[in-house]
């Protein structure tokens, strides 16, 4: 038996790689394709179009192929409305529910293509009825937020995914769908490009989210980051308990015990000051209270409080303490991170794999990202998550942040 | 002004490095020492003894020096009882509270040296009054478990730390206090030594705790680990939500959709099956229910259920789902991990940094640990935490586990 | 001013990515394209065809674009003979000489397309006159082998490059042009596939070249590799002085001084035995003499001698000694490696970056390669060199080789 | 049977770790020790003394133990002259020849302790007769430089090794015998310390040797390094062919083809310009000629020529070309590197493992070294080689060099 289905692709599908990925997926999954129409864009601003019938030996194989094609931008020709099924219980989705990509997506409901709100990867799509005659909406819903009775999209019918297209013309520092990491680019020039992007986002009243790991403090990037917060280049901060404690510890114990952290002296192994810090902030009642009481008088968290930059501190099982400000429940913390991610226009992921993955999971492929880490494997893993416009930089956060701050603040 | 204090060291303090570390700490911290008595152990089974007076310019400097010496095994001569202060509020410790090492420790209360229970690093010590005439106890308490009124040990007086000593005679595969990682040792021989240790622990009714990362499943070590659980070599399991989902996904989707995971076919990028798995386990009501209903019929989690091997699944902000079994609150999860850590005689840390650090934080330096990871930086970081008897192995978990299982199960 | 040129592409140019790379190159380099004809392959066995005119503002820009297109398989339409210029001096090529890819290439001479012999990357092409009426030949020549008067190909005219095409149908373990490294594949299955490939090569009287780093000896893979040499699975060996010395040292000092290397005992830091070994082999007159005199009686080099497996030992500036067998001149050693590379059908690159890069530089893109290293950056760098059929495996050579030998030798 | 020997140690043998290493070595190697006299240094400026008899079951075991003790600073009590044997042939040493450490060493000849000249690791010691009544000398000789008849030191008698001692007082950024890498130190402060050291060396007319990898050019550190050469901070340069070609390529093709390397544009894969550069320098007759003819007008090699900074370019099997200046013979290149190493007071090892190991092999443990690499494994491996005063820094050479140059040149 042979089963088949016809799909269409449209856009810059050759140079963006969609066409190659679709042909490849059919072959990988053991199917056949028959191209019925193909019109190539003659020059770089003209789009191409392809209609082809894909076939496979079984329904299951065909469904797997169509799923792949759909995720790469092909839509089933002769569209019908998306199939909806009710969720049988809280946190349980119908079998064969549609699992999202992080690309802009539309769903056909009552004959109309509706844009999906807040799309992110590996979620379900729920169609919310319009009340009182208002139009229905399609929302992205993470598994643990599904409620019994939610109308969940299943199958691949009536779903249109719009993968990112290669920009026309020359590339920028933000590579297009580059899995790899360019270590052959001059670090200083890349930092200048990142600074230019941050200036652009600020000029357009966009939002920069910075995701911070504790290495920022150890390696000496803390003061530069605090300067950037004070100068208004950072609109939100996402970090773990550890980053905040290290930042506050530098303020509380950096010089008060006669040890000058700048001179590298006394790098003893003990973590005594780390838990002293947690205890002191706890005694004050939290970071904001500690700033108000002038217990804490400098650093990244201090500048966030002073400049009304909202932050999310997410807990983890390896934390000491934690601080009163830390959200210890992972689901609750993820929800807070999700909100940050949805509002960001540019995300700087600085020396933290765990928190960067958490933020990256919630981002649409259209948000620009900059990943900086000394470990190339971390940068590769973050770029692989799939922003279409990403800069990966394997460098030392302790030299990166001072150079970035120099670049952005020298004009002032 | 010069202030000074006299301390004593006793034991194999030269070859174990305590003496060198103590002299070094005094010099690093700007102090002076004056050795008043020194008796060297003439041969390897004879202990050495040193009494010296250390001095510094200020009380603060002297206190910092004595703290370091204490953590390296020196005790203040002419001992008095430990100083106790009440915790002023929940989760707040007295200023200058004593921050623990992970070495066996004794505290002097009412003229008697009491052993500290469940010692672990970076905690406070609380003296619990003996009720109704029973003897007082000294317990280790993590910061967030401190309650107002707890009698907390402060300063360095009346505290005796017993750092690990170099074993007499030839070393074993378990290195003594080796920060580094030996990549110059034959992998096969090291695996044989680890197997021998696991056999020894089992023969002595000891407890083996395995800490698992998802790479075990990706790289093909799952079946070997499941075999080890079934054969009784694993007494407890600690992992994250991701490990359990990957393990269960292999069972649910590994072959059911016509894709044979062994043949490497169809390695598509999508994570659809991952969230399908979470949804299916949720539908069943959890892992145990899914095993009982024969929805899940193989794998590591399956064998844990079937063989009554207790597990802790700790949540994190990058999780999908999570599974109903996952503890999402970090403090609650840490408490569960702490209990596992205290019961373990041997801990295998397999391809997970986050969970291994969480477990390692709760271990005394006397518990044997084996750290296996493909990333040398992970192994180094875990060994640095300070078990006195650790094997670090930079290898591929997908070849390590089958070879370990071969070694342990062939005899059967 | 606008200058332009017409090029053609033919083959599986969409799914193999050539078309996307060509469009991308034009845009990256600031040019324009105008597609004059495009015929798509309707199904997976039908080839596609494209003819387009590319244009740019200057001759220099156009030349850069046409160079890129040529290297990705486009040929200048309406072909003329390749341009030839004489090399002005030894080791000096004409300005604008054609620099090779590692793909199969043809050059048009006297109206005929001649295949390039022994193509490898970053070399010049020299047309050798047919003597006495015999046909002319096009040979690949590395820069330092160019002699004054050699007729060197310049420009892009009359050159046809044939980049590898995506295999029709499902992929094998040998990925097609995959820059990345799959760490999500089961190690054991990958090893089975590599073994199957080695068996196939042997069955077809092909040639397996193994490139060896010293980690093979340290990590305990030496005996397994020696077994594979003895069993006839290895046809040539390429290594450095260090590998050979470590291998011989195990034979000479592994047990002779009462130290059993298998028990891991006495891992002292000294390198005394290393230079003792070099001195002893020197005293014997070389490795072959040492084997014949029964000074050396086991190991990889021993089996190479006993089984007539030719080897190249290349020197480097960090060597001790070196051994009499080691070729200390880099140009001479490279020439010997080049010959090995040209004869190989399958190359195993085992835990050595330097020697693997040296071998990889000399390989055409059609030779299958397997890269095994514990360091993912090494594997990535080797795969990036561009074999069309490569397996990259991030694993421990000390577990890989015993498992590979088990797989290949168990049948015997 | 028990055999024994008496040895002595003197100096800061406790806090420098020699005593612990000696006790450990005896136990590791299965021997016994009996301390006959031990006088501890009462305060930090007073030295300690130990005399002990070590015993073992066999002569072979005792010899192994005494070798280890000797290398850690113990000398055989009741000294006799060193044993000398003639080398039986060129490049062949007597069995049981003494293999050197990289620590200052003295050899007893005719009743007098003579300092060893140019000591480096893993070499032989040759006593050269004083001619015409002049005093005999003890020279370090690498294996391949041994000539038949050389009087080579064998055994451990009459040899005194002086391992580095822990500096009295607080440590500097140059750690004492630290195998590990501090990633917890602020990068900017460390760079300031390195700059201060370079200034000190210059002020004392010392010599700074820089060892350079090609990443300096890729990552944008080239101009800063050229500035440092011009400003007189670099006294010698050691690199490979690749570094020089990349540096020259930037000059020749960085802007001449209309591509501005600073804008990151056109990062095509081809290596065409790389071999064009080699051909052009070859045409000119070498780097110096190319500078004189004003073909090359900027960069690191240019500044070396213009400022009479001598350089060694060592060839390797992965080189293209090579340049006429490159020494292709490994033994000859090693000899040239050896000379550089012996003259250096401070060595900066920048982003190259191969060349840094080659230089490091020739250094005494008293030369200060700074190792900078983005890969922590490289830094660890270089620090393990054993300079007593080393800074290891895991950072990006493309940000390190501009910040170092800023620090050193701003004052001017």
């Amino acid at each position: 038996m042979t089963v088949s289905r016809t799909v269409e692709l449209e856009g810059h599908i050759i140079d963006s790689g969609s066409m190659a990925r679709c042909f490849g997926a059919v072959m990988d999954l053991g199917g056949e394709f028959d191209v019925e129409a193909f019109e190539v864009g003659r020059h770089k601003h003209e789009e191409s179009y392809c209609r082809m019938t894909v076939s496979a030996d079984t329904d299951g194989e065909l469904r797997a192929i169509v799923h792949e094609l759909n995720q790469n931008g092909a839509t089933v020709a002769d569209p019908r409305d998306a199939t909806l099924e009710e969720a049988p219980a809280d946190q349980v989705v119908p079998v064969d529910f549609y699992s999202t990509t992080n690309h802009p997506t539309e769903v056909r409901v009552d004959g109309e293509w509706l844009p999906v709100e807040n799309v992110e990867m590996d979620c379900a799509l729920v169609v919310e009825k319009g009340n009182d005659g208002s139009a229905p909406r399609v929302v992205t819903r993470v598994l643990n937020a599904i409620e019994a009775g939610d109308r969940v999209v299943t199958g691949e019918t009536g779903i249109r995914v719009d993968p990112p297209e290669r920009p026309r013309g020359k590339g920028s520092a933000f590579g297009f769908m580059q899995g790899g990491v360019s270590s052959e680019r001059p670090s200083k020039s890349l930092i200048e490009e990142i600074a230019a992007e941050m200036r652009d986002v600020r000029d357009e009243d966009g939002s920069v989210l910075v995701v911070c790991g504790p290495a920022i403090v150890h390696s000496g990037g803390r003061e530069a980051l605090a300067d950037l917060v004070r100068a208004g280049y950072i609109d939100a901060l996402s970090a773990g308990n550890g980053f905040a404690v290290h930042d506050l510890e530098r303020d509380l114990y950096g010089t008060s015990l006669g040890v000058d952290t700048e001179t590298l002296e006394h790098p003893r192994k003990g973590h005594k000051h780390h838990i002293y810090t947690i205890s002191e902030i706890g005694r004050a009642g939290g970071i904001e209270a500690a700033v108000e009481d002038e217990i804490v008088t400098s650093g990244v968290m201090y500048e966030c409080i002073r400049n009304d930059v909202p932050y999310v501190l997410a807990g983890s099982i390896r934390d000491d303490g934690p601080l009163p400000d830390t959200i210890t429940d992972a689901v609750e913390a993820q929800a807070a991170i999700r909100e940050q991610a949805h509002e960001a226009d540019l995300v700087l992921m600085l020396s933290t794999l765990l928190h960067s993955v958490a933020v990256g999971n919630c981002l649409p492929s259209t948000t620009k990202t900059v990943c900086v880490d000394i470990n190339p494997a971390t940068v590769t893993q973050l770029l692989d998550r799939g922003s279409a416009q990403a800069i990966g930089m394997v460098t030392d956060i302790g030299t990166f942040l001072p150079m970035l701050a120099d670049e952005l603040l020298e004009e002032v």
Side-chain angles (χ1 to χ4, degrees), chain A residues 209-213 238-240 337 341 347-363 369-373 378-379 381-383 385:
Chain A
L209 170 64
V210 63
V211 190
C212 303
S238 203
I337 288 168
V347 180
L348 305 180
M349 299 170 168
L350 306 182
S351 292
T352 165
L353 181 58
L354 175 61
H355 292 271
S356 297
V357 167
V359 170
N361 282 346
C362 305
L363 291 176
T369 54
V370 173
C371 313
V372 179
D373 205 285
T378 296
V379 177
Q381 188 175 341
L382 292 175
L383 292 187
R385 300 295 301 177

Side-chain angles (χ1 to χ4, degrees), chain A residues 12 22 149 155-156 206 257 294:
Chain A
H12 297 298
C22 285
E156 264 82 32
L257 290 182
E294 295 180 22

Side-chain angles (χ1 to χ4, degrees), chain A residues 211-276:
Chain A
V211 190
C212 303
I216 291 172
V217 183
H218 301 318
S219 69
R222 172 185 180 256
E223 283 66 34
L225 182 54
D227 290 348
L228 290 174
V229 173
R230 190 169 50 242
Y233 281 102
I234 307 295
D235 301 287
L237 181 144
S238 203
N241 183 69
F243 169 77
V245 177
H246 284 293
D247 174 62
L248 296 162
E249 179 185 344
R250 274 288 153 104
D251 183 75
L252 289 177
Y253 296 102
T255 57
S256 60
L257 290 182
V259 182
D260 183 352
T261 57
E262 287 315 298
T263 61
L264 310 178
E265 277 173 25
H266 307 183
R268 314 301 307 174
K269 229 179 174 175
H271 297 285
K272 192 169 67 168
H273 289 164
H274 195 72
I275 45 174
Y276 275 31

Side-chain angles (χ1 to χ4, degrees), chain A residues 176-195:
Chain A
F176 169 67
M177 299 282 274
Q178 294 178 321
V181 178
S182 173
S183 60
E184 304 225 343
R185 289 178 158 189
S187 307
K188 208 163 171 304
S189 305
L190 262 177
I191 292 172
E192 285 161 16
E193 299 230 6
I194 294 166

Side-chain angles (χ1 to χ4, degrees), chain A residues 17-263:
Chain A
S18 305
M19 203 63 246
R21 280 194 297 275
C22 285
F23 284 156
V26 175
M27 290 188 272
D28 277 352
L29 295 167
E32 301 286 336
F33 59 84
D34 184 7
V35 177
E36 290 163 7
F38 198 96
E39 289 154 33
V40 74
R42 283 192 55 190
H43 48 76
K44 71 184 175 195
H45 293 292
E46 201 176 295
E47 301 198 334
S48 300
Y49 170 79
C50 172
R51 188 175 67 245
M52 64 177 173
T53 297
V54 295
S55 50
D57 289 344
T58 67
D59 271 333
E61 281 174 38
L62 183 62
R63 214 178 311 131
I65 292 172
V66 173
H67 177 76
E68 279 302 316
L69 299 187
N70 174 278
Q71 305 235 326
N72 284 294
T75 38
V76 176
D78 182 21
R80 286 161 295 168
D81 275 5
T83 318
L84 304 182
E85 276 182 58
E86 291 205 348
D90 285 4
Q91 304 188 21
V92 178
V93 284
V95 177
D96 200 32
F97 77 101
Y98 177 82
S99 165
T100 54
T101 65
N102 60 356
H103 307 313
T105 303
E106 290 175 312
V107 173
R108 198 167 180 273
V109 181
D110 301 336
E112 276 194 83
W113 287 103
L114 305 179
V116 169
E117 299 177 18
N118 284 329
V119 73
E120 71 178 74
M121 210 183 282
D122 296 333
C123 289
L125 294 178
V126 169
V127 177
E128 296 194 338
K129 271 206 177 117
N131 297 322
D132 312 323
S134 71
R137 298 161 55 212
V138 189
V139 298
T140 310
R141 196 149 290 166
V142 74
L143 208 65
N144 61 54
I146 290 286
E147 293 176 12
D150 276 351
R151 298 195 304 156
V152 177
V153 177
T154 58
E156 264 82 32
T157 309
I159 301 164
R160 219 151 61 180
V161 174
D162 187 19
E165 299 201 327
R166 189 196 181 292
R168 304 297 89 191
K170 300 184 184 183
S172 75
F174 285 89
F176 169 67
M177 299 282 274
Q178 294 178 321
V181 178
S182 173
S183 60
E184 304 225 343
R185 289 178 158 189
S187 307
K188 208 163 171 304
S189 305
L190 262 177
I191 292 172
E192 285 161 16
E193 299 230 6
I194 294 166
E197 188 67 33
M198 288 177 73
R199 247 186 244 112
D200 286 355
V201 171
R202 199 178 62 161
D203 292 350
E204 292 161 16
D205 278 330
S207 178
V208 174
L209 170 64
V210 63
V211 190
C212 303
I216 291 172
V217 183
H218 301 318
S219 69
R222 172 185 180 256
E223 283 66 34
L225 182 54
D227 290 348
L228 290 174
V229 173
R230 190 169 50 242
Y233 281 102
I234 307 295
D235 301 287
L237 181 144
S238 203
N241 183 69
F243 169 77
V245 177
H246 284 293
D247 174 62
L248 296 162
E249 179 185 344
R250 274 288 153 104
D251 183 75
L252 289 177
Y253 296 102
T255 57
S256 60
L257 290 182
V259 182
D260 183 352
T261 57
E262 287 315 298
T263 61

